[in-house]
Amino acid sequence: MSKLLIYGATGYTGRMVAAQAKAAGLDFEVAGRDATRVAALARQLSVPYRTFTADAQTAQALSGVTVLLNCAGPFVMTAEPLMRACIEAGVDYLDITAEINVYRLAERLGEDAGVMLLPGVGWDVVPTDCLALHVARRVEHPQSLRIALQVAGSMSRGSANSVGEIIGAGLMARVDGVLVPAPDAQPRHFDFGAGPVLCAPLSFGDLVTGGRSTGIPNIAMFVHISGDAFPEGDLSRLPDGPSEQERLSHRAYAVAEVTGADGQVARSVIETINGYSYTPLAAVEAARRVLAGERRSGLETPGRLFGVEFAESIAGTVIVDL
């Protein structure tokens, strides 16, 4: 029988993912490095558990697993050993990261993987990947894609660490189908529905997924961070993540612009529930579909695998054409 293993299940988002998997009635186990914390969560959910570290021996810990959902960040530390273990054990790999280098790794490993590598089954990549496909259909011969995210409210400790990895990767863009450094990239204004705001260039995983899903050769990414979204100082002292009330107070937005060969520009905005609330719903639904047989070997993207409607299948999500 198909079985899901959620790794990093005791983290802030991992716990919500595990609770959603339980609510969805999936056959799953939880896993992580800390035996005490994993066992406590397993008792709470009445599910089996496994304890192991993501390293060269991980394949031995995946016996009986069909799909691995990695929720343990920073993903630059866990994705490679877990992807390689999945390839060795014949297990499909999913995760919830936006870290660009994880997607570049999946692109390389996916060429001869024999299993599916599907990073980014949460927010932002599910909404933005499906949005990019949606907007690309609105123009003839799309040539360039610009995606901007609006991040509001407080950020989890794990996300703050991941953003550090994204910044550390440097500014990049997709130019003529090739991912290249873009150190001179400039901020741009985007309208998320309440007037134009200045957005800074930043390299998210969409630089890989957008090209793979849409075939558009030129892609750039931007982000608008408002309020206290981006923390400063000692990240280890941050709380695990925003409270339920904070999540309810801040919805999430992304905008995509596509330019066609004739110069025509199409724009659409996607609005969702808060990203931290969206991720468990999208990730578990993605895992459910993969367990049911919706899969293809190699690197895949949410929009290409599940269809452009996948993002809007999560309640509270709407796309508006501008």
Side-chain angles (χ1 to χ4, degrees):
M1 293 180 63
S2 298
K3 182 181 289 293
L4 170 68
L5 182 65
I6 302 171
Y7 188 76
T10 61
Y12 172 73
T13 303
R15 293 181 70 90
M16 290 191 286
V17 168
Q20 178 61 25
K22 183 71 174 181
L26 299 189
D27 182 9
F28 74 102
E29 298 182 16
V30 293
R33 296 177 301 172
D34 188 317
T36 301
R37 294 178 65 193
V38 174
L41 178 62
R43 287 194 298 272
Q44 178 185 333
L45 297 174
S46 299
V47 298
Y49 72 94
R50 307 181 188 200
T51 304
F52 60 89
T53 300
D55 58 25
Q57 307 302 315
T58 298
Q60 301 173 18
L62 300 182
S63 176
V65 174
T66 309
V67 175
L68 173 70
L69 174 53
N70 179 16
C71 299
F75 293 85
V76 69
M77 305 296 294
T78 62
E80 181 164 6
L82 289 176
M83 283 186 193
R84 291 188 181 279
C86 284
I87 292 170
E88 181 180 343
V91 173
D92 288 331
Y93 172 93
L94 284 64
D95 71 30
I96 57 171
T97 190
E99 296 172 30
I100 179 68
N101 283 335
V102 172
Y103 293 81
R104 299 173 74 188
L105 171 69
E107 197 169 34
R108 294 194 303 272
L109 295 181
E111 293 181 1
D112 301 303
V115 301
M116 183 168 66
L117 304 180
L118 179 62
V121 292
W123 206 100
D124 74 297
V125 174
V126 167
T128 50
D129 194 47
C130 293
L131 182 67
L133 279 165
H134 171 84
V135 184
R137 294 175 178 177
R138 298 179 56 205
V139 302
E140 294 289 335
H141 307 296
Q143 295 299 303
S144 69
L145 165 66
R146 293 165 296 280
I147 300 172
L149 315 175
Q150 181 163 275
V151 179
S154 59
M155 189 178 292
S156 74
R157 184 169 58 244
S159 292
N161 284 318
S162 281
V163 168
E165 296 294 336
I166 293 168
I167 293 173
L171 293 179
M172 287 177 272
R174 186 168 289 277
V175 178
D176 294 331
V178 179
L179 200 61
V180 298
D184 298 324
Q186 297 298 308
R188 280 196 47 178
H189 284 87
F190 292 86
D191 189 345
F192 296 94
V197 294
L198 191 63
C199 299
L202 202 60
S203 304
F204 287 92
D206 303 81
L207 293 174
V208 174
T209 59
R212 200 166 189 88
S213 294
T214 67
I216 295 175
N218 302 293
I219 304 174
M221 286 290 303
F222 301 83
V223 64
H224 175 70
I225 299 176
S226 62
D228 59 351
F230 191 73
E232 297 179 351
D234 184 358
L235 299 183
S236 68
R237 302 185 67 175
L238 290 174
D240 285 349
S243 66
E244 181 178 4
Q245 185 56 49
E246 289 173 319
R247 296 196 304 271
L248 290 171
S249 299
H250 295 284
R251 291 177 65 80
Y253 299 83
V255 61
E257 296 182 353
V258 173
T259 303
D262 60 357
Q264 177 190 1
V265 178
R267 299 179 180 88
S268 297
V269 171
I270 189 166
E271 177 184 354
T272 77
I273 57 177
N274 185 273
Y276 292 109
S277 300
Y278 188 97
T279 291
L281 299 174
V284 169
E285 175 59 14
R288 185 192 68 78
R289 294 188 184 200
V290 176
L291 288 165
E294 292 186 52
R295 60 174 304 280
R296 287 191 291 262
S297 296
L299 172 64
E300 268 301 337
T301 72
R304 195 170 81 152
L305 182 66
F306 301 129
V308 69
E309 300 82 11
F310 180 56
E312 290 184 287
S313 73
I314 306 304
T317 303
V318 60
I319 292 176
V320 177
D321 296 333
L322 303 177

